[in-house]
Amino acid sequence: MALGSDLETKRERLLERLRSFESCAVAFSAGIDSTVLAKAAQLALGDRAVAVTGVSPSLADGELDEARRLAEWIGIRHEIISTGEFANSNYTQNAPDRCYHCKSELYLQIEQIAPRLNVRVIVNGANADDVGDYRPGMQAAEEHRVRSPLLECEINKAELRQLALDWGLPIWDKPAMPCLASRVAYGEEVTSERLAMIDKAERLLRAQGLRTVRVRYHKGDLARLEVPAAELGRLIEEATRQTLVDDLKALGFRFVTLDLEGFRSGSLNMLLPLEILNAGG
């Protein structure tokens, strides 16, 4: 599918913006946003671009392997680092600004290796659709002088998928895969054990043939399952329902619920006070 003239203009603006940096490190999670950005950086800068993937218990199973495969496919240098956000109680106590502390740690780690990588600028995959949502990680980016070329060029999520398809990226239709900590209700401690429970539970749902899934962790080891509304019926079929209940309880959940409203990104933000949400906009 050919790109429209408006998106072609944005694509060229993106490549020119990246060239102006002379070199860059892409915060690379293997999601659609950072993958498109990594591809653009490689096209614009060649060996002067590097993708950096942070690894911690909040990274879902298989995502590191995916990052390795994609970096190799794109042809961009790839660096893997360990991040230490779990040593920070401001992160693990899981207040609404949790993401700020996570991103601060990631950007700090990239800053520390930037001289060795010989890069001048750190870039992230924030895009035009991120404006107005509650995203405390954007504050961390500002404090660490991290650039957001996709946002600067006004490229939204739908346009990112078009660019990915045009560039032949194999994950052009990959569902969003935010970090596992984003599934834990604010105020509930983030622990590696809870994240492992969530990760295994989501793999069980994907084994049912579902691509877009969320297992939200709530107080009392309660799992709230979110799947697209059109797929709800599959999970209440008796055999499937009982198997999922048994399997999730075996993982450590005491209660298993199905959200009848269906999947929606960032649903835990509905629990935040209005003043916090308004501040994020």
PDB file of all heavy atoms in Angstrom, residues 244-281:
ATOM      1  N   LEU A 244      -8.993 -21.985  32.418  1.00  0.00           N
ATOM      2  CA  LEU A 244      -8.306 -20.731  32.743  1.00  0.00           C
ATOM      3  C   LEU A 244      -8.347 -20.448  34.237  1.00  0.00           C
ATOM      4  O   LEU A 244      -7.349 -20.029  34.830  1.00  0.00           O
ATOM      5  CB  LEU A 244      -8.928 -19.576  31.968  1.00  0.00           C
ATOM      6  CG  LEU A 244      -8.532 -19.439  30.506  1.00  0.00           C
ATOM      7  CD1 LEU A 244      -9.322 -18.312  29.847  1.00  0.00           C
ATOM      8  CD2 LEU A 244      -7.037 -19.182  30.369  1.00  0.00           C
ATOM      9  N   VAL A 245      -9.495 -20.669  34.860  1.00  0.00           N
ATOM     10  CA  VAL A 245      -9.607 -20.445  36.298  1.00  0.00           C
ATOM     11  C   VAL A 245      -8.609 -21.330  37.040  1.00  0.00           C
ATOM     12  O   VAL A 245      -7.866 -20.872  37.918  1.00  0.00           O
ATOM     13  CB  VAL A 245     -11.039 -20.708  36.789  1.00  0.00           C
ATOM     14  CG1 VAL A 245     -11.078 -20.739  38.319  1.00  0.00           C
ATOM     15  CG2 VAL A 245     -11.983 -19.624  36.271  1.00  0.00           C
ATOM     16  N   ASP A 246      -8.577 -22.597  36.683  1.00  0.00           N
ATOM     17  CA  ASP A 246      -7.666 -23.534  37.355  1.00  0.00           C
ATOM     18  C   ASP A 246      -6.206 -23.145  37.140  1.00  0.00           C
ATOM     19  O   ASP A 246      -5.401 -23.145  38.084  1.00  0.00           O
ATOM     20  CB  ASP A 246      -7.900 -24.954  36.847  1.00  0.00           C
ATOM     21  CG  ASP A 246      -9.262 -25.519  37.273  1.00  0.00           C
ATOM     22  OD1 ASP A 246      -9.867 -24.957  38.216  1.00  0.00           O
ATOM     23  OD2 ASP A 246      -9.699 -26.505  36.659  1.00  0.00           O
ATOM     24  N   ASP A 247      -5.879 -22.795  35.892  1.00  0.00           N
ATOM     25  CA  ASP A 247      -4.486 -22.484  35.570  1.00  0.00           C
ATOM     26  C   ASP A 247      -4.038 -21.187  36.240  1.00  0.00           C
ATOM     27  O   ASP A 247      -2.912 -21.097  36.750  1.00  0.00           O
ATOM     28  CB  ASP A 247      -4.304 -22.377  34.055  1.00  0.00           C
ATOM     29  CG  ASP A 247      -4.379 -23.732  33.362  1.00  0.00           C
ATOM     30  OD1 ASP A 247      -4.309 -24.755  34.064  1.00  0.00           O
ATOM     31  OD2 ASP A 247      -4.503 -23.757  32.126  1.00  0.00           O
ATOM     32  N   LEU A 248      -4.899 -20.175  36.257  1.00  0.00           N
ATOM     33  CA  LEU A 248      -4.505 -18.900  36.871  1.00  0.00           C
ATOM     34  C   LEU A 248      -4.422 -19.014  38.383  1.00  0.00           C
ATOM     35  O   LEU A 248      -3.550 -18.399  39.015  1.00  0.00           O
ATOM     36  CB  LEU A 248      -5.466 -17.781  36.458  1.00  0.00           C
ATOM     37  CG  LEU A 248      -5.017 -16.975  35.225  1.00  0.00           C
ATOM     38  CD1 LEU A 248      -4.993 -17.848  33.982  1.00  0.00           C
ATOM     39  CD2 LEU A 248      -5.906 -15.762  35.012  1.00  0.00           C
ATOM     40  N   LYS A 249      -5.279 -19.813  38.983  1.00  0.00           N
ATOM     41  CA  LYS A 249      -5.168 -20.034  40.422  1.00  0.00           C
ATOM     42  C   LYS A 249      -3.890 -20.801  40.750  1.00  0.00           C
ATOM     43  O   LYS A 249      -3.257 -20.554  41.787  1.00  0.00           O
ATOM     44  CB  LYS A 249      -6.406 -20.761  40.945  1.00  0.00           C
ATOM     45  CG  LYS A 249      -7.630 -19.852  41.039  1.00  0.00           C
ATOM     46  CD  LYS A 249      -8.777 -20.512  41.783  1.00  0.00           C
ATOM     47  CE  LYS A 249      -9.916 -19.533  42.027  1.00  0.00           C
ATOM     48  NZ  LYS A 249     -11.024 -20.119  42.803  1.00  0.00           N
ATOM     49  N   ALA A 250      -3.492 -21.682  39.873  1.00  0.00           N
ATOM     50  CA  ALA A 250      -2.250 -22.414  40.085  1.00  0.00           C
ATOM     51  C   ALA A 250      -1.044 -21.475  40.025  1.00  0.00           C
ATOM     52  O   ALA A 250      -0.004 -21.750  40.647  1.00  0.00           O
ATOM     53  CB  ALA A 250      -2.098 -23.523  39.046  1.00  0.00           C
ATOM     54  N   LEU A 251      -1.179 -20.358  39.312  1.00  0.00           N
ATOM     55  CA  LEU A 251      -0.101 -19.376  39.244  1.00  0.00           C
ATOM     56  C   LEU A 251      -0.010 -18.521  40.502  1.00  0.00           C
ATOM     57  O   LEU A 251       1.005 -17.844  40.721  1.00  0.00           O
ATOM     58  CB  LEU A 251      -0.307 -18.454  38.033  1.00  0.00           C
ATOM     59  CG  LEU A 251      -0.180 -19.086  36.652  1.00  0.00           C
ATOM     60  CD1 LEU A 251      -0.487 -18.047  35.573  1.00  0.00           C
ATOM     61  CD2 LEU A 251       1.210 -19.674  36.438  1.00  0.00           C
ATOM     62  N   GLY A 252      -1.085 -18.490  41.308  1.00  0.00           N
ATOM     63  CA  GLY A 252      -1.078 -17.696  42.532  1.00  0.00           C
ATOM     64  C   GLY A 252      -2.211 -16.704  42.652  1.00  0.00           C
ATOM     65  O   GLY A 252      -2.348 -16.044  43.686  1.00  0.00           O
ATOM     66  N   PHE A 253      -3.029 -16.571  41.604  1.00  0.00           N
ATOM     67  CA  PHE A 253      -4.199 -15.694  41.712  1.00  0.00           C
ATOM     68  C   PHE A 253      -5.270 -16.388  42.541  1.00  0.00           C
ATOM     69  O   PHE A 253      -5.510 -17.577  42.402  1.00  0.00           O
ATOM     70  CB  PHE A 253      -4.754 -15.365  40.321  1.00  0.00           C
ATOM     71  CG  PHE A 253      -3.856 -14.483  39.498  1.00  0.00           C
ATOM     72  CD1 PHE A 253      -3.075 -15.004  38.483  1.00  0.00           C
ATOM     73  CD2 PHE A 253      -3.780 -13.121  39.765  1.00  0.00           C
ATOM     74  CE1 PHE A 253      -2.242 -14.189  37.729  1.00  0.00           C
ATOM     75  CE2 PHE A 253      -2.950 -12.297  39.011  1.00  0.00           C
ATOM     76  CZ  PHE A 253      -2.182 -12.834  37.995  1.00  0.00           C
ATOM     77  N   ARG A 254      -5.929 -15.611  43.390  1.00  0.00           N
ATOM     78  CA  ARG A 254      -7.001 -16.183  44.213  1.00  0.00           C
ATOM     79  C   ARG A 254      -8.377 -15.947  43.604  1.00  0.00           C
ATOM     80  O   ARG A 254      -9.317 -16.709  43.876  1.00  0.00           O
ATOM     81  CB  ARG A 254      -6.944 -15.600  45.625  1.00  0.00           C
ATOM     82  CG  ARG A 254      -5.730 -16.075  46.424  1.00  0.00           C
ATOM     83  CD  ARG A 254      -5.872 -15.736  47.895  1.00  0.00           C
ATOM     84  NE  ARG A 254      -5.701 -14.293  48.122  1.00  0.00           N
ATOM     85  CZ  ARG A 254      -5.931 -13.709  49.297  1.00  0.00           C
ATOM     86  NH1 ARG A 254      -6.373 -14.430  50.327  1.00  0.00           N
ATOM     87  NH2 ARG A 254      -5.734 -12.412  49.450  1.00  0.00           N
ATOM     88  N   PHE A 255      -8.501 -14.904  42.801  1.00  0.00           N
ATOM     89  CA  PHE A 255      -9.770 -14.597  42.143  1.00  0.00           C
ATOM     90  C   PHE A 255      -9.490 -14.318  40.671  1.00  0.00           C
ATOM     91  O   PHE A 255      -8.485 -13.683  40.331  1.00  0.00           O
ATOM     92  CB  PHE A 255     -10.443 -13.373  42.776  1.00  0.00           C
ATOM     93  CG  PHE A 255     -10.654 -13.491  44.262  1.00  0.00           C
ATOM     94  CD1 PHE A 255      -9.745 -12.916  45.142  1.00  0.00           C
ATOM     95  CD2 PHE A 255     -11.740 -14.175  44.769  1.00  0.00           C
ATOM     96  CE1 PHE A 255      -9.918 -13.021  46.514  1.00  0.00           C
ATOM     97  CE2 PHE A 255     -11.923 -14.284  46.139  1.00  0.00           C
ATOM     98  CZ  PHE A 255     -11.011 -13.719  47.015  1.00  0.00           C
ATOM     99  N   VAL A 256     -10.365 -14.783  39.794  1.00  0.00           N
ATOM    100  CA  VAL A 256     -10.210 -14.580  38.353  1.00  0.00           C
ATOM    101  C   VAL A 256     -11.499 -13.966  37.826  1.00  0.00           C
ATOM    102  O   VAL A 256     -12.570 -14.569  37.933  1.00  0.00           O
ATOM    103  CB  VAL A 256      -9.919 -15.906  37.614  1.00  0.00           C
ATOM    104  CG1 VAL A 256      -9.770 -15.650  36.110  1.00  0.00           C
ATOM    105  CG2 VAL A 256      -8.661 -16.562  38.177  1.00  0.00           C
ATOM    106  N   THR A 257     -11.411 -12.754  37.272  1.00  0.00           N
ATOM    107  CA  THR A 257     -12.594 -12.064  36.761  1.00  0.00           C
ATOM    108  C   THR A 257     -12.394 -11.711  35.289  1.00  0.00           C
ATOM    109  O   THR A 257     -11.263 -11.514  34.828  1.00  0.00           O
ATOM    110  CB  THR A 257     -12.878 -10.776  37.544  1.00  0.00           C
ATOM    111  OG1 THR A 257     -11.827  -9.836  37.299  1.00  0.00           O
ATOM    112  CG2 THR A 257     -12.976 -11.047  39.031  1.00  0.00           C
ATOM    113  N   LEU A 258     -13.492 -11.600  34.566  1.00  0.00           N
ATOM    114  CA  LEU A 258     -13.472 -11.208  33.163  1.00  0.00           C
ATOM    115  C   LEU A 258     -14.133  -9.842  33.031  1.00  0.00           C
ATOM    116  O   LEU A 258     -15.285  -9.660  33.441  1.00  0.00           O
ATOM    117  CB  LEU A 258     -14.222 -12.242  32.307  1.00  0.00           C
ATOM    118  CG  LEU A 258     -14.316 -11.964  30.810  1.00  0.00           C
ATOM    119  CD1 LEU A 258     -12.927 -11.894  30.189  1.00  0.00           C
ATOM    120  CD2 LEU A 258     -15.155 -13.044  30.126  1.00  0.00           C
ATOM    121  N   ASP A 259     -13.413  -8.874  32.487  1.00  0.00           N
ATOM    122  CA  ASP A 259     -13.930  -7.518  32.340  1.00  0.00           C
ATOM    123  C   ASP A 259     -14.864  -7.462  31.132  1.00  0.00           C
ATOM    124  O   ASP A 259     -14.423  -7.602  29.985  1.00  0.00           O
ATOM    125  CB  ASP A 259     -12.762  -6.537  32.154  1.00  0.00           C
ATOM    126  CG  ASP A 259     -13.192  -5.088  32.280  1.00  0.00           C
ATOM    127  OD1 ASP A 259     -14.265  -4.752  31.765  1.00  0.00           O
ATOM    128  OD2 ASP A 259     -12.442  -4.296  32.880  1.00  0.00           O
ATOM    129  N   LEU A 260     -16.150  -7.259  31.373  1.00  0.00           N
ATOM    130  CA  LEU A 260     -17.143  -7.288  30.299  1.00  0.00           C
ATOM    131  C   LEU A 260     -17.054  -6.076  29.383  1.00  0.00           C
ATOM    132  O   LEU A 260     -17.646  -6.079  28.296  1.00  0.00           O
ATOM    133  CB  LEU A 260     -18.552  -7.388  30.892  1.00  0.00           C
ATOM    134  CG  LEU A 260     -18.849  -8.673  31.673  1.00  0.00           C
ATOM    135  CD1 LEU A 260     -20.302  -8.676  32.162  1.00  0.00           C
ATOM    136  CD2 LEU A 260     -18.574  -9.911  30.821  1.00  0.00           C
ATOM    137  N   GLU A 261     -16.321  -5.049  29.801  1.00  0.00           N
ATOM    138  CA  GLU A 261     -16.145  -3.879  28.930  1.00  0.00           C
ATOM    139  C   GLU A 261     -15.133  -4.146  27.825  1.00  0.00           C
ATOM    140  O   GLU A 261     -15.081  -3.432  26.834  1.00  0.00           O
ATOM    141  CB  GLU A 261     -15.724  -2.669  29.759  1.00  0.00           C
ATOM    142  CG  GLU A 261     -15.879  -1.346  29.025  1.00  0.00           C
ATOM    143  CD  GLU A 261     -15.692  -0.148  29.938  1.00  0.00           C
ATOM    144  OE1 GLU A 261     -15.599  -0.342  31.171  1.00  0.00           O
ATOM    145  OE2 GLU A 261     -15.640   0.977  29.418  1.00  0.00           O
ATOM    146  N   GLY A 262     -14.341  -5.199  28.006  1.00  0.00           N
ATOM    147  CA  GLY A 262     -13.350  -5.553  26.995  1.00  0.00           C
ATOM    148  C   GLY A 262     -12.058  -4.793  27.137  1.00  0.00           C
ATOM    149  O   GLY A 262     -11.904  -3.918  28.000  1.00  0.00           O
ATOM    150  N   PHE A 263     -11.102  -5.112  26.275  1.00  0.00           N
ATOM    151  CA  PHE A 263      -9.780  -4.494  26.344  1.00  0.00           C
ATOM    152  C   PHE A 263      -9.847  -3.011  26.022  1.00  0.00           C
ATOM    153  O   PHE A 263     -10.514  -2.581  25.085  1.00  0.00           O
ATOM    154  CB  PHE A 263      -8.825  -5.162  25.354  1.00  0.00           C
ATOM    155  CG  PHE A 263      -7.545  -4.393  25.167  1.00  0.00           C
ATOM    156  CD1 PHE A 263      -6.550  -4.449  26.116  1.00  0.00           C
ATOM    157  CD2 PHE A 263      -7.364  -3.581  24.056  1.00  0.00           C
ATOM    158  CE1 PHE A 263      -5.380  -3.722  25.976  1.00  0.00           C
ATOM    159  CE2 PHE A 263      -6.198  -2.846  23.897  1.00  0.00           C
ATOM    160  CZ  PHE A 263      -5.214  -2.927  24.859  1.00  0.00           C
ATOM    161  N   ARG A 264      -9.135  -2.205  26.822  1.00  0.00           N
ATOM    162  CA  ARG A 264      -8.858  -0.812  26.484  1.00  0.00           C
ATOM    163  C   ARG A 264      -7.526  -0.454  27.111  1.00  0.00           C
ATOM    164  O   ARG A 264      -7.263  -0.785  28.264  1.00  0.00           O
ATOM    165  CB  ARG A 264      -9.962   0.152  26.907  1.00  0.00           C
ATOM    166  CG  ARG A 264     -10.275   0.175  28.385  1.00  0.00           C
ATOM    167  CD  ARG A 264     -11.539  -0.616  28.675  1.00  0.00           C
ATOM    168  NE  ARG A 264     -11.948  -0.426  30.065  1.00  0.00           N
ATOM    169  CZ  ARG A 264     -12.224  -1.450  30.855  1.00  0.00           C
ATOM    170  NH1 ARG A 264     -12.112  -2.685  30.420  1.00  0.00           N
ATOM    171  NH2 ARG A 264     -12.635  -1.229  32.089  1.00  0.00           N
ATOM    172  N   SER A 265      -6.712   0.184  26.318  1.00  0.00           N
ATOM    173  CA  SER A 265      -5.372   0.539  26.759  1.00  0.00           C
ATOM    174  C   SER A 265      -5.426   1.515  27.920  1.00  0.00           C
ATOM    175  O   SER A 265      -6.212   2.464  27.908  1.00  0.00           O
ATOM    176  CB  SER A 265      -4.591   1.146  25.592  1.00  0.00           C
ATOM    177  OG  SER A 265      -3.279   1.480  25.986  1.00  0.00           O
ATOM    178  N   GLY A 266      -4.570   1.285  28.938  1.00  0.00           N
ATOM    179  CA  GLY A 266      -4.468   2.216  30.060  1.00  0.00           C
ATOM    180  C   GLY A 266      -5.672   2.244  30.974  1.00  0.00           C
ATOM    181  O   GLY A 266      -5.935   3.255  31.623  1.00  0.00           O
ATOM    182  N   SER A 267      -6.409   1.137  31.072  1.00  0.00           N
ATOM    183  CA  SER A 267      -7.641   1.166  31.866  1.00  0.00           C
ATOM    184  C   SER A 267      -7.381   1.428  33.342  1.00  0.00           C
ATOM    185  O   SER A 267      -8.253   1.949  34.045  1.00  0.00           O
ATOM    186  CB  SER A 267      -8.419  -0.144  31.703  1.00  0.00           C
ATOM    187  OG  SER A 267      -7.722  -1.234  32.289  1.00  0.00           O
ATOM    188  N   LEU A 268      -6.189   1.094  33.840  1.00  0.00           N
ATOM    189  CA  LEU A 268      -5.905   1.360  35.252  1.00  0.00           C
ATOM    190  C   LEU A 268      -5.832   2.847  35.551  1.00  0.00           C
ATOM    191  O   LEU A 268      -5.975   3.269  36.705  1.00  0.00           O
ATOM    192  CB  LEU A 268      -4.602   0.666  35.667  1.00  0.00           C
ATOM    193  CG  LEU A 268      -4.680  -0.861  35.790  1.00  0.00           C
ATOM    194  CD1 LEU A 268      -3.307  -1.444  36.070  1.00  0.00           C
ATOM    195  CD2 LEU A 268      -5.663  -1.271  36.869  1.00  0.00           C
ATOM    196  N   ASN A 269      -5.615   3.674  34.527  1.00  0.00           N
ATOM    197  CA  ASN A 269      -5.601   5.126  34.756  1.00  0.00           C
ATOM    198  C   ASN A 269      -6.969   5.646  35.172  1.00  0.00           C
ATOM    199  O   ASN A 269      -7.079   6.754  35.705  1.00  0.00           O
ATOM    200  CB  ASN A 269      -5.136   5.860  33.490  1.00  0.00           C
ATOM    201  CG  ASN A 269      -3.631   5.765  33.301  1.00  0.00           C
ATOM    202  OD1 ASN A 269      -2.902   5.361  34.198  1.00  0.00           O
ATOM    203  ND2 ASN A 269      -3.172   6.115  32.122  1.00  0.00           N
ATOM    204  N   MET A 270      -8.031   4.846  34.940  1.00  0.00           N
ATOM    205  CA  MET A 270      -9.359   5.270  35.364  1.00  0.00           C
ATOM    206  C   MET A 270      -9.457   5.380  36.881  1.00  0.00           C
ATOM    207  O   MET A 270     -10.352   6.032  37.413  1.00  0.00           O
ATOM    208  CB  MET A 270     -10.412   4.282  34.846  1.00  0.00           C
ATOM    209  CG  MET A 270     -10.518   4.228  33.322  1.00  0.00           C
ATOM    210  SD  MET A 270     -11.635   2.921  32.768  1.00  0.00           S
ATOM    211  CE  MET A 270     -13.186   3.506  33.464  1.00  0.00           C
ATOM    212  N   LEU A 271      -8.521   4.741  37.591  1.00  0.00           N
ATOM    213  CA  LEU A 271      -8.525   4.784  39.048  1.00  0.00           C
ATOM    214  C   LEU A 271      -7.846   6.029  39.603  1.00  0.00           C
ATOM    215  O   LEU A 271      -7.895   6.274  40.805  1.00  0.00           O
ATOM    216  CB  LEU A 271      -7.819   3.534  39.599  1.00  0.00           C
ATOM    217  CG  LEU A 271      -8.417   2.181  39.180  1.00  0.00           C
ATOM    218  CD1 LEU A 271      -7.541   1.046  39.691  1.00  0.00           C
ATOM    219  CD2 LEU A 271      -9.834   2.038  39.693  1.00  0.00           C
ATOM    220  N   LEU A 272      -7.208   6.809  38.718  1.00  0.00           N
ATOM    221  CA  LEU A 272      -6.470   7.982  39.181  1.00  0.00           C
ATOM    222  C   LEU A 272      -7.394   9.164  39.412  1.00  0.00           C
ATOM    223  O   LEU A 272      -8.389   9.335  38.698  1.00  0.00           O
ATOM    224  CB  LEU A 272      -5.416   8.375  38.139  1.00  0.00           C
ATOM    225  CG  LEU A 272      -4.289   7.373  37.920  1.00  0.00           C
ATOM    226  CD1 LEU A 272      -3.374   7.859  36.781  1.00  0.00           C
ATOM    227  CD2 LEU A 272      -3.464   7.169  39.190  1.00  0.00           C
ATOM    228  N   PRO A 273      -7.080  10.013  40.396  1.00  0.00           N
ATOM    229  CA  PRO A 273      -7.856  11.236  40.598  1.00  0.00           C
ATOM    230  C   PRO A 273      -7.788  12.136  39.368  1.00  0.00           C
ATOM    231  O   PRO A 273      -6.802  12.145  38.642  1.00  0.00           O
ATOM    232  CB  PRO A 273      -7.179  11.903  41.806  1.00  0.00           C
ATOM    233  CG  PRO A 273      -6.416  10.798  42.484  1.00  0.00           C
ATOM    234  CD  PRO A 273      -6.015   9.843  41.392  1.00  0.00           C
ATOM    235  N   LEU A 274      -8.838  12.906  39.143  1.00  0.00           N
ATOM    236  CA  LEU A 274      -8.908  13.767  37.968  1.00  0.00           C
ATOM    237  C   LEU A 274      -7.759  14.773  37.919  1.00  0.00           C
ATOM    238  O   LEU A 274      -7.253  15.105  36.843  1.00  0.00           O
ATOM    239  CB  LEU A 274     -10.256  14.502  37.918  1.00  0.00           C
ATOM    240  CG  LEU A 274     -11.457  13.689  37.475  1.00  0.00           C
ATOM    241  CD1 LEU A 274     -12.724  14.529  37.560  1.00  0.00           C
ATOM    242  CD2 LEU A 274     -11.261  13.177  36.049  1.00  0.00           C
ATOM    243  N   GLU A 275      -7.321  15.258  39.091  1.00  0.00           N
ATOM    244  CA  GLU A 275      -6.272  16.264  39.080  1.00  0.00           C
ATOM    245  C   GLU A 275      -4.964  15.700  38.552  1.00  0.00           C
ATOM    246  O   GLU A 275      -4.173  16.410  37.911  1.00  0.00           O
ATOM    247  CB  GLU A 275      -6.060  16.866  40.480  1.00  0.00           C
ATOM    248  CG  GLU A 275      -5.726  15.874  41.581  1.00  0.00           C
ATOM    249  CD  GLU A 275      -6.965  15.383  42.309  1.00  0.00           C
ATOM    250  OE1 GLU A 275      -8.072  15.440  41.705  1.00  0.00           O
ATOM    251  OE2 GLU A 275      -6.839  14.936  43.456  1.00  0.00           O
ATOM    252  N   ILE A 276      -4.727  14.395  38.771  1.00  0.00           N
ATOM    253  CA  ILE A 276      -3.502  13.778  38.244  1.00  0.00           C
ATOM    254  C   ILE A 276      -3.631  13.614  36.724  1.00  0.00           C
ATOM    255  O   ILE A 276      -2.720  13.908  35.970  1.00  0.00           O
ATOM    256  CB  ILE A 276      -3.245  12.415  38.915  1.00  0.00           C
ATOM    257  CG1 ILE A 276      -2.858  12.633  40.379  1.00  0.00           C
ATOM    258  CG2 ILE A 276      -2.150  11.652  38.186  1.00  0.00           C
ATOM    259  CD1 ILE A 276      -2.564  11.350  41.137  1.00  0.00           C
ATOM    260  N   LEU A 277      -4.808  13.142  36.267  1.00  0.00           N
ATOM    261  CA  LEU A 277      -5.011  12.969  34.835  1.00  0.00           C
ATOM    262  C   LEU A 277      -4.920  14.293  34.107  1.00  0.00           C
ATOM    263  O   LEU A 277      -4.323  14.400  33.031  1.00  0.00           O
ATOM    264  CB  LEU A 277      -6.375  12.324  34.579  1.00  0.00           C
ATOM    265  CG  LEU A 277      -6.508  10.866  35.029  1.00  0.00           C
ATOM    266  CD1 LEU A 277      -7.944  10.387  34.848  1.00  0.00           C
ATOM    267  CD2 LEU A 277      -5.564   9.959  34.266  1.00  0.00           C
ATOM    268  N   ASN A 278      -5.484  15.327  34.688  1.00  0.00           N
ATOM    269  CA  ASN A 278      -5.449  16.642  34.038  1.00  0.00           C
ATOM    270  C   ASN A 278      -4.030  17.181  33.978  1.00  0.00           C
ATOM    271  O   ASN A 278      -3.621  17.827  33.012  1.00  0.00           O
ATOM    272  CB  ASN A 278      -6.353  17.626  34.786  1.00  0.00           C
ATOM    273  CG  ASN A 278      -7.830  17.296  34.611  1.00  0.00           C
ATOM    274  OD1 ASN A 278      -8.205  16.656  33.635  1.00  0.00           O
ATOM    275  ND2 ASN A 278      -8.649  17.730  35.550  1.00  0.00           N
ATOM    276  N   ALA A 279      -3.251  16.900  35.017  1.00  0.00           N
ATOM    277  CA  ALA A 279      -1.848  17.352  35.015  1.00  0.00           C
ATOM    278  C   ALA A 279      -1.059  16.658  33.919  1.00  0.00           C
ATOM    279  O   ALA A 279      -0.144  17.221  33.342  1.00  0.00           O
ATOM    280  CB  ALA A 279      -1.217  17.076  36.380  1.00  0.00           C
ATOM    281  N   GLY A 280      -1.446  15.376  33.618  1.00  0.00           N
ATOM    282  CA  GLY A 280      -0.747  14.653  32.564  1.00  0.00           C
ATOM    283  C   GLY A 280      -1.041  15.183  31.188  1.00  0.00           C
ATOM    284  O   GLY A 280      -0.309  14.941  30.241  1.00  0.00           O
ATOM    285  N   GLY A 281      -2.164  15.902  31.008  1.00  0.00           N
ATOM    286  CA  GLY A 281      -2.521  16.416  29.718  1.00  0.00           C
ATOM    287  C   GLY A 281      -1.891  17.741  29.424  1.00  0.00           C
ATOM    288  O   GLY A 281      -2.043  18.261  28.336  1.00  0.00           O
TER     289      GLY A 281
END
